Amino acid sequence: MKKIIIGNWKMNPPTLKEAEQLFSVLAKGASSSKKTEIVICPPFVYLEKLSKIRTSKIKLGAQDAFYEEVGAFTGEISGEMLDNLRVKYVILGHSERRALGETNEMVNQKIKAVLAAGLIPILCVGETARDESHDYFNLVKIQLEECLAGVKKTFISKIIIAYEPVWAISTTPNRKDATSADSLEMAIFFKKILSDKFGREASRGRIIYGGSVSGKDAGDFLQNGGVDGLLPGRASLDAKKFVEIIKICEVLSK
Ligand code: 13P
């Protein structure tokens, strides 16, 4: 299975010109990569223009999609609309959207809609804080189970599951670094939950890590964190840093 590096640009950069510049530099930097799947998830409004920039290496993803196909849903974007723009991936259930009120039930509906539109969901789960009694295991278990409720077995290998502990994200106040051991422990826990629910088919899906990933720790997470890829936010806005992470992944995939 190819490793995957997904850049989440969040609500950046502020202008289309900067987005095109950044994407072009990334495309150049990624041009020699062979073993890594690379995805960039820009804001919706940049997707169309970026889809016209030639690159065979970088695929496009969106940061959300709505669960209805069409109709009176002001401000929403459907999976089909994204598919029309040749978008292949959609981040769903990011903690920054959950903080605005998105529930597991909504994420669940979105996952089903995105799969029906032929796109690949990147489901984000992760605890806000770690408590002494380890209750956070229960919290992520509920997130996984509720977000994946009713998803058909045949689809589970398509879904990418991202472990993103909110306490490790670069913009979280008083953040802390997560370690590859934290990631490994969660990846094993996720695999157990998924295989209990979906059987052997679940082992074909990918689990990735996100939370302040940089060139300093990307190799450690990929080698020792039990994951098949990474989801950098801040580092994906700096072409040099993002390309460095891709190169680390390439070397480790040899
Ligand atoms: P940072 O890499 O900026 O911590 O962002 C992680 C993230 O939220 C990616 O979805």
Side-chain angles (χ1 to χ4, degrees):
M1 203 178 335
K2 257 193 178 181
K3 295 212 182 329
I4 188 163
I5 306 291
I6 304 171
N8 177 8
W9 282 5
K10 308 192 179 184
M11 201 173 74
N12 298 289
T15 66
L16 172 63
K17 199 165 163 229
E18 286 166 277
E20 286 176 316
Q21 259 165 8
L22 176 58
F23 192 84
S24 302
V25 180
L26 287 177
K28 219 183 215 169
S31 61
S32 61
S33 66
K34 291 190 176 69
K35 310 236 158 91
T36 311
E37 215 171 315
I38 307 162
V39 181
I40 289 291
C41 302
F44 287 130
V45 288
Y46 301 149
L47 282 167
E48 186 175 9
K49 284 278 181 160
L50 297 188
S51 74
K52 307 240 156 76
I53 295 177
R54 280 186 77 84
T55 161
S56 56
K57 305 290 175 173
I58 304 184
K59 293 178 195 143
L60 285 174
Q63 297 173 18
D64 189 27
F66 196 53
Y67 44 78
E68 296 287 352
E69 282 174 31
V70 68
F73 305 102
T74 303
E76 299 294 351
I77 308 271
S78 73
E80 190 185 345
M81 292 172 185
L82 295 170
D83 185 49
N84 289 339
L85 290 176
R86 279 175 278 159
V87 166
K88 291 272 174 279
Y89 299 81
V90 184
I91 295 174
L92 293 172
H94 194 280
S95 57
E96 287 149 19
R97 297 202 56 80
R98 291 178 188 266
L100 295 173
E102 192 156 281
T103 62
N104 289 335
E105 290 69 27
M106 288 161 79
V107 177
N108 177 245
Q109 284 181 279
K110 289 180 175 188
I111 287 179
K112 289 176 184 160
V114 156
L115 285 169
L119 305 170
I120 298 174
I122 303 158
L123 166 61
C124 298
V125 295
E127 73 282 7
T128 311
R130 290 207 159 185
D131 53 310
E132 302 260 302
S133 55
H134 298 104
D135 210 30
Y136 55 89
F137 280 114
N138 204 32
L139 187 132
V140 291
K141 183 169 190 260
I142 291 170
Q143 285 181 338
L144 273 183
E145 287 179 344
E146 291 188 354
C147 291
L148 295 172
V151 169
K152 290 203 184 87
K153 258 188 191 172
T154 45
F155 279 133
I156 192 62
S157 61
K158 289 205 167 48
I159 302 174
I160 296 170
I161 305 205
Y163 173 51
E164 288 215 323
V166 182
W167 49 270
I169 291 179
S170 63
T171 46
T172 299
N174 305 317
R175 62 163 300 283
K176 283 207 197 110
D177 279 334
T179 63
S180 56
D182 296 326
S183 161
L184 176 62
E185 184 179 49
M186 269 301 170
I188 294 168
F189 185 57
F190 285 9
K191 281 179 191 163
K192 166 87 176 81
I193 295 166
L194 295 171
S195 76
D196 285 351
K197 196 171 159 48
F198 295 97
R200 278 172 49 195
E201 199 52 29
S203 64
R204 293 176 50 225
R206 278 186 286 202
I207 297 174
I208 65 174
Y209 169 79
S212 300
V213 170
S214 72
K216 281 201 200 96
D217 55 18
D220 186 26
F221 277 112
L222 288 171
Q223 276 184 296
N224 308 314
V227 291
D228 309 301
L230 301 168
L231 180 52
R234 183 174 283 174
S236 69
L237 294 168
D238 181 320
K240 225 170 116 192
K241 289 185 180 160
F242 193 67
V243 170
E244 187 189 351
I245 294 170
I246 294 168
K247 294 211 162 129
I248 290 167
C249 188
E250 283 284 297
V251 170
L252 292 176
S253 301
K254 275 187 180 135

